Every structure is written in C-alpha cells, then in structure tokens.
Amino acid sequence: MNVNLRSVFVLCQTFGRPMLERRDGKIINVASLLSFQGGVRVPAYAASKGALAQLTKALCNEWASSGVNVNAIAPGYMDTRLNAALMDDSERFRQISERIPAGRWGEATDVAGAVVFLASTASNYINGAVLPVDGGWLSR
C-alpha cells in the first residue's frame, strides 16, 4: 500500500500543485489489470492497484476543471524480470498465455505507446481513464 498507493498520492500532490497553478499538466499513473480483477495469490497488490484506479478518478474529478489531466495505464502480463518467477512456473505461464487474445505477453514498448498517447495533446479530452494495455486480457 505504501509503494503502490501512498507514494503515488504524495507524488500526485507534489507534481500536481504546480500543474494546477499553471492550469496545465498531465499525470499518468501506473495501475494494473488487477485494478479490475482480484488476481490469484496477490490480494494486497490487487487491493492497492484497485485503490490507485479510484485515486486517479478522484483526482480527475478535482483537477480536470483546472486543466490537469489525470489518467492511468493498466498493464497486463508483461515479459519483465518482475514476472520471472511467474513465467518460470510452466503451468501458470501456460494458463495466462492461453487467455491473452494477442497470443503473447506484453513488452515495455507496448506500454510506452499508451504513455506517449496520454502525454500528448491527442488525449486532451481524456480524463479519469484507466487504459488497459493487456493484449485483450480483460475482454475475456
């Protein structure tokens, strides 16, 4: 909760303050597909990411009228060192992989595109969104 929620709250306050003063800015939080689902064997993580999604929406409600966009990306299963143990579990890896419509785990470049979009002027009217970057996981 301290890493996934409290630190994000403090950072949003810290960086949001000058954005509010100049009436312009973009905040992009990092949620998770577990912001939408309970997950397996990770209840504290899922709870913290669910709370982060709600924090993103609450800050949108407070700051959008002052020109600050607050959104989040919600990465799905990513091929990173953080997921090495999960990927090494052949049964769990198979189960997860079979559910991803894109047929693969995500990569850092997949997340980068969503961040660039939310940081750009193309997203000026997008606020309070939690954008899944999950290869279609949540559609199943």
Side-chain angles (χ1 to χ4, degrees):
M1 295 302 280
N2 281 335
V3 171
N4 290 338
L5 184 60
R6 184 184 170 105
S7 64
V8 175
F9 179 68
V10 170
L11 288 167
C12 285
Q13 287 180 315
T14 301
F15 287 95
R17 197 167 291 117
M19 292 178 187
L20 291 165
E21 290 171 5
R22 71 175 179 265
R23 301 188 64 79
D24 182 54
K26 305 261 187 168
I27 292 175
I28 304 164
N29 292 322
V30 181
S32 166
L33 67 86
L34 295 184
S35 298
F36 306 100
Q37 299 177 317
V40 176
R41 296 182 282 214
V42 289
Y45 178 81
S48 69
K49 291 300 187 171
L52 176 59
Q54 296 309 312
L55 172 64
T56 298
K57 294 173 185 183
L59 292 177
C60 159
N61 290 338
E62 294 183 19
W63 295 355
S65 64
S66 296
V68 178
N69 296 67
V70 185
N71 293 295
I73 57 166
Y77 288 96
M78 296 288 145
D79 185 355
T80 66
R81 286 188 313 229
L82 193 62
N83 284 325
L86 191 56
M87 296 176 81
D88 288 342
D89 179 339
S90 61
E91 178 63 17
R92 190 72 180 116
F93 179 78
R94 182 190 59 74
Q95 291 170 340
I96 291 167
S97 299
E98 287 175 353
R99 181 174 167 172
I100 301 172
R104 64 177 179 82
W105 287 44
E107 299 173 2
T109 54
D110 296 317
V111 174
V115 172
V116 168
F117 167 67
L118 289 174
S120 76
T121 58
S123 70
N124 281 352
Y125 199 61
I126 297 174
N127 219 323
V130 180
L131 178 63
V133 183
D134 66 355
W137 174 277
L138 290 173
S139 69
R140 291 219 170 153

